[in-house]
Amino acid sequence: MFTIKTLNAISPVGLAKLNKNLFDISVDTDAPDGILVRSADLLNTTFNDNLLAIARAGAGVNNIPLDRCSEQGIVVFNTPGANANAVAELVICGLMLGSRNVAGGIDWARTLDGQGAEVAKLVEKGKAQFAGPEVRGKTLGVIGLGAIGAIVANAAAQGLGMNVIGYDPFISVESAWSLSRAIKRSSSVDEIYRTADYITVHVPLTDATRGMLGESAIAQMKDGVHLLNFSRAELADAESLAAALESGKVASYVTDFPTQDVLRMKNAVAIPHLGASTPESEVNCADMAARELRDYLEDGQIRNSVNFPEILLGHSEGVRVLIIHENEPGMVSAISAAIGARKININNMLNKSRRDMAVTVLELDREPDDMLQTQLKALPGVIRLRLPARG
């Protein structure tokens, strides 16, 4: 029996994926085998020794201490694509909000409260200040063509009549297949900056992308460009962006990540992080997170982990043993030698690595006894050994 601790409210649809005969779901346990979390901050949480995995019902994992989890052999999952449609719909909404200055117009209209019969006349007199261009026939640059970016690109090209150019040097095969043939591939992000009337960014926050919407990038852009950022606030350099909005170089900035700086910017539309705030998204994320946790605890499968390699396994050909270890030369041979010395045959083996971490899965012809398990755990570089479905 595995104990699963839930932090935040997790959709019952997701929890239903956990067989009650194998999983005990609790909000109070101090020693869970797995954690299901949405936005709760785990950065300063001390994890118990038997914690095997954390599944985040969402894409971002900045609330989870990934390095510490890796050091303790805790597999961290997220749910890429589960909320993609919800975010993409809001991006399309943001495209209109920024282009037509809808938010500014709404704020201004509210100032007419109390004018009585004069409201209609005042509206007709003042509406010209909120005029904005239609998007049809304009060029949209999409930086990052993952699950969200691909939906946005297709919707803009097929539904809004925009010319769409996309840039993603790391595009997956699945995303590439999903793209409309009408979308032009850009050879560089600089080409996006130079040619697009509207630019939307869908990339993770890394050292390389932090502040990418900064002075140098903005200088390359068309005058009056409209920017959308529904990924992370830190992708934009606040000082450079504020100056560009003030001068009119950037006509509008729409983001789902309000900050104190953004709230003070001219022609900035700050949406209160509503990208995944739909009931459908909540269900999709919970469903995916629960299945990831279940498959890892029961079978040793690793899918959509952010700190360990993907391990996709078929039917077990014997007793399955999963060893998490440092990605160092000689680890596989040391593990094999220890098993061979006990006259146990290895029916099948899979070894995969991700940066400094590696996972070796063994299918043995019989279960390793306590002494062999102790020997394997004692090998230099081994972080965790487990027999899936047993902990």
Side-chain angles (χ1 to χ4, degrees):
M1 178 73 74
F2 293 105
T3 300
I4 306 300
K5 184 171 186 174
T6 58
L7 301 172
N8 312 117
I10 304 296
S11 169
V13 175
L15 298 180
K17 294 295 187 294
L18 303 176
N19 188 323
K20 293 182 179 179
N21 294 323
L22 293 176
F23 296 93
D24 177 32
I25 300 170
S26 171
V27 297
D28 299 319
T29 180
D30 293 326
D33 299 293
I35 291 176
L36 277 169
V37 61
R38 290 173 62 193
S39 58
D41 188 348
L42 298 178
L43 294 177
N44 296 311
T45 300
T46 299
F47 301 125
N48 54 286
D49 291 338
N50 61 295
L51 181 65
L52 299 172
I54 299 171
R56 158 81 164 101
V61 289
N62 57 328
N63 58 326
I64 300 171
L66 296 182
D67 289 343
R68 187 152 54 89
C69 286
S70 297
E71 292 170 1
Q72 294 183 238
I74 300 168
V75 181
V76 179
F77 300 95
N78 69 344
T79 57
N83 59 12
N85 188 71
V87 177
E89 286 186 356
L90 197 63
V91 174
I92 297 300
C93 173
L95 190 63
M96 303 306 172
L97 287 173
S99 188
R100 302 290 291 274
N101 198 2
V102 176
I106 292 172
D107 289 342
W108 175 78
R110 291 188 181 279
T111 68
L112 304 179
D113 182 28
Q115 298 297 319
E118 295 297 309
V119 169
K121 292 181 181 179
L122 292 170
V123 165
E124 291 304 313
K125 181 180 179 180
K127 68 179 183 181
Q129 62 187 304
F130 303 105
E134 298 178 18
V135 301
R136 188 175 185 83
K138 306 301 192 305
T139 298
L140 172 67
V142 183
I143 301 174
L145 292 165
I148 297 169
I151 295 174
V152 171
N154 286 338
Q158 298 172 336
L160 300 179
M162 301 187 77
N163 303 313
V164 180
I165 55 176
Y167 174 74
D168 190 337
F170 307 108
I171 189 170
S172 68
V173 173
E174 183 177 355
S175 291
W177 274 106
S178 73
L179 289 174
S180 165
R181 296 175 67 181
I183 296 165
K184 177 187 174 185
R185 175 181 173 271
S186 176
S187 60
S188 70
V189 70
D190 292 336
E191 182 183 358
I192 298 281
Y193 293 152
R194 292 193 303 267
T195 59
D197 304 298
Y198 300 80
I199 297 174
T200 181
V201 181
H202 302 283
V203 299
L205 178 64
T206 65
D207 290 340
T209 62
R210 186 181 300 274
M212 63 180 290
L213 298 178
E215 183 178 2
S216 176
I218 292 172
Q220 299 180 63
M221 297 177 190
K222 288 184 174 182
D223 292 343
V225 67
H226 297 265
L227 300 181
L228 298 97
N229 175 12
F230 285 72
S231 294
R232 282 290 179 265
E234 295 84 357
L235 295 178
D237 177 72
E239 184 176 351
S240 300
L241 182 59
L245 284 164
E246 187 65 34
S247 70
K249 173 69 176 182
V250 174
S252 70
Y253 176 65
V254 186
T255 183
D256 202 25
F257 296 90
T259 65
Q260 183 62 58
D261 289 329
V262 169
L263 294 175
R264 293 175 176 174
M265 290 180 188
K266 177 183 178 181
N267 293 330
V269 179
I271 301 170
H273 202 186
L274 300 181
S277 296
T278 68
E280 295 87 353
S281 177
E282 180 180 337
V283 168
N284 291 342
C285 288
D287 178 88
M288 184 181 290
R291 285 188 284 112
E292 291 166 349
L293 201 58
R294 177 198 67 194
D295 292 347
Y296 176 64
L297 295 180
E298 289 186 9
D299 300 319
Q301 305 257 17
I302 300 179
R303 188 190 301 271
N304 295 325
S305 172
V306 297
N307 62 334
F308 282 99
E310 186 170 85
I311 300 291
L312 303 181
L313 305 167
H315 179 70
S316 177
E317 299 180 16
V319 177
R320 181 168 290 168
V321 178
L322 185 146
I323 301 175
I324 294 175
H325 56 86
E326 296 172 359
N327 185 24
E328 295 290 343
M331 290 298 305
V332 173
S333 59
I335 291 169
S336 301
I339 294 171
R342 301 302 296 273
K343 306 301 182 184
I344 297 177
N345 285 328
I346 300 175
N347 297 331
N348 200 359
M349 176 186 289
L350 174 66
N351 172 266
K352 296 187 73 174
S353 63
R354 180 171 182 172
R355 295 187 289 273
D356 296 333
M357 296 291 113
V359 178
T360 297
V361 182
L362 306 154
E363 307 279 0
L364 308 180
D365 64 354
R366 59 186 170 90
E367 184 171 324
D369 57 28
D370 290 343
M371 182 176 294
L372 177 55
Q373 291 188 46
T374 299
Q375 290 177 341
L376 290 171
K377 291 177 183 177
L379 290 175
V382 169
I383 299 170
R384 165 162 272 158
L385 178 147
R386 58 181 297 257
L387 280 65
R390 304 183 195 183

